[in-house]
Amino acid sequence: RLASVGLPEESWFVGLHLRTLGYPNDPRSVHGGSVIAAIQEVISQGGFVVNFGTNRMEPLVEHPQYLELSSLLERQADMHPYILQKSEFLLTTNSGPAVVAHILGTDLLQFNTTSIARNSLSSWATAYYLPAVLVDDYGHEKSLLQMFEATSAWWEPTPGSRTARKARLRRSTSNEILSACQDLLRRKGLSSTGYLPDAVLARDLERIRRQTGAVSFGDFAPSFLVRQAERDFQRGRPSEQR
């Protein structure tokens, strides 16, 4: 079935599912343009990208290794379970398919994540999270420790709710998503670019979780942890991560 829409049977592919900006005041949502660099990275390493979702999705790139199933309503729905289980990883915002993929043992790269302290889904698969970054009244980004300590780290804001409107969160950037994608591709041996997990950063992340009482599973993308540590060091405030 996938071969009939352009995916050779033996090719590896990344699943893509987005919570789009059609959901107002939802910090988990994303503009499709922010994942284009990550799509191009997968393609440059020889992989395919299979985008699936509702018929509101718009094609993001034009390339034979990018497959847009959203316009194929008569074919797409019953292919979702296969895509969720057979993808090298699922590139996604926090949405239902992310839960299903991770339960099935598929690696996950989830961005615009809000409930970083209460993500209790455990799996043997790898999960790289990119948080929606908390900022202060002046737009300055807070440290990872401060984000874990914030009340907004413990739940998913309901779209349009007072909590969602008040949340001062910066969505994941195109460069962050690209870097995290490179991290996961390198971890899987599909690329020589990107960061591998750092034992020191991982230990200090666990220290932050214990300090704040977080019950989350999964890792933050190594490139995000490195960036956090470097920024705090440059500010003259050594972070908990380094």
Side-chain angles (χ1 to χ4, degrees), residues 37-62:
I39 292 172
Q40 293 171 334
E41 178 67 16
V42 172
I43 290 173
S44 73
Q45 300 301 328
F48 284 67
V49 176
V50 181
N51 189 16
F52 65 98
T54 70
N55 59 3
R56 291 179 296 177
M57 299 296 298
E58 296 289 337
L60 299 174
V61 299
E62 291 188 12

Side-chain angles (χ1 to χ4, degrees), residues 98-100 102-103 108 118-123 129 215 217-218:
V99 178
V100 177
H102 206 45
I103 288 174
L108 186 67
R118 193 187 58 80
N119 195 331
S120 56
L121 178 65
S122 180
S123 171
Y129 294 110
V215 291
F217 295 89

Side-chain angles (χ1 to χ4, degrees), residues 27-231:
R28 297 168 294 179
S29 62
V30 65
H31 189 281
S34 64
V35 299
I36 289 177
I39 292 172
Q40 293 171 334
E41 178 67 16
V42 172
I43 290 173
S44 73
Q45 300 301 328
F48 284 67
V49 176
V50 181
N51 189 16
F52 65 98
T54 70
N55 59 3
R56 291 179 296 177
M57 299 296 298
E58 296 289 337
L60 299 174
V61 299
E62 291 188 12
H63 194 281
Q65 288 168 237
Y66 173 82
L67 306 181
E68 177 61 69
L69 296 189
S70 300
S71 60
L72 304 174
L73 293 180
E74 75 282 3
R75 294 176 172 174
Q76 71 157 342
D78 61 349
M79 288 194 283
H80 289 184
Y82 182 89
I83 295 166
L84 290 172
Q85 187 172 29
K86 296 298 185 180
S87 297
E88 286 291 332
F89 61 89
L90 180 65
L91 176 62
T92 185
T93 47
N94 194 2
S95 194
V99 178
V100 177
H102 206 45
I103 288 174
L104 292 173
T106 300
D107 294 338
L108 186 67
L109 172 49
Q110 180 179 296
F111 52 97
N112 288 350
T113 303
T114 50
S115 60
I116 62 173
R118 193 187 58 80
N119 195 331
S120 56
L121 178 65
S122 180
S123 171
W124 65 92
T126 297
Y128 276 176
Y129 294 110
L130 281 174
V133 176
L134 188 65
V135 298
D136 61 22
D137 292 344
Y138 302 98
H140 300 144
E141 296 184 9
K142 296 192 175 184
S143 70
L144 193 56
L145 175 59
Q146 290 172 312
M147 284 191 274
F148 268 97
E149 290 175 331
T151 55
S152 60
W154 291 86
W155 60 76
E156 302 287 354
T158 302
S161 69
R162 182 170 178 269
T163 302
R165 291 194 300 271
K166 288 182 63 179
R168 296 182 180 274
L169 297 168
R170 173 184 66 72
R171 290 184 172 92
S172 303
T173 68
S174 176
N175 283 337
E176 286 174 334
I177 298 169
L178 169 62
S179 295
C181 181
Q182 291 171 332
D183 295 345
L184 195 45
L185 287 171
R186 183 173 181 183
R187 180 168 181 156
K188 298 174 76 64
L190 296 169
S191 173
S192 59
T193 308
Y195 289 89
L196 291 173
D198 182 292
V200 175
L201 295 179
R203 284 197 300 269
D204 287 325
L205 175 59
E206 285 308 306
R207 186 181 305 123
I208 289 174
R209 284 172 166 159
R210 288 195 300 271
Q211 179 177 339
T212 56
V215 291
S216 52
F217 295 89
D219 300 319
F220 285 92
S223 56
F224 179 82
L225 292 178
V226 168
R227 178 176 173 271
Q228 282 277 318
E230 289 176 344
R231 188 178 64 243

